């Protein structure tokens, strides 16, 4: 028999979020590093492995934080607004488990 072709699965929500956060980190990284180099570390520095790793960790964590803020307050609202303007229905989060919880009110007709 012939092998059935399986359509590739659409990327999940977490993959889309991770993609946007990775883009945000790449955009934020030069600005965060410039801020740390130009403003936060004005005095003489003594190079040690600990200081190098600490600065590396600081740049990475601040870049991730700035990128998460940009995703929540800029990218996500604009994506929803543009989807509504394009005529798409906004996607509501799905509940896992397949059935409504007992605490949820019944839908009205």
């Amino acid at each position: 028999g012939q092998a059935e072709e399986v359509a590739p699965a659409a990327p999940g929500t977490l993959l889309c979020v991770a993609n946007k956060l990775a883009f945000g980190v790449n955009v934020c990284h030069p600005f965060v590093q410039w801020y740390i180099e130009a403003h936060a570390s004005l005095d003489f520095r003594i190079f040690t492995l600990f200081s190098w790793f600490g600065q590396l960790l600081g740049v990475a964590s601040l870049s991730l934080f700035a990128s998460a803020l940009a995703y929540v307050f800029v990218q996500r609202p604009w994506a929803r607004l543009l989807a509504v303007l394009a005529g798409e229905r906004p996607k509501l989060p799905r509940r896992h488990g397949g059935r409504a919880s007992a605490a949820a009110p019944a839908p009205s007709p």
Side-chain angles (χ1 to χ4, degrees), residues 3 17 30 32 34 43 45 60 67 74 77 86 101 107:
V17 169
V32 169
W34 172 80
D43 207 3
R45 290 183 288 174
S67 139
V74 178
S101 66

Side-chain angles (χ1 to χ4, degrees), residues 38-90:
H39 297 288
S41 58
L42 293 176
D43 207 3
F44 290 107
R45 290 183 288 174
I46 299 172
F47 179 79
T48 63
L49 286 178
F50 178 75
S51 67
W52 172 77
F53 186 69
Q55 186 171 1
L56 184 68
L57 188 61
V59 168
S61 60
L62 285 175
S63 297
L64 184 63
F65 179 72
S67 139
L69 283 179
Y71 174 75
V72 169
F73 293 113
V74 178
Q75 288 180 344
R76 191 67 180 158
W78 274 104
R80 286 183 183 224
L81 177 68
L82 292 174
V84 168
L85 290 176
E88 296 179 19
R89 291 180 52 203

Side-chain angles (χ1 to χ4, degrees), residues 94-101:
R94 293 182 299 191
R95 282 187 272 190
H96 297 287
R99 61 180 184 181
S101 66

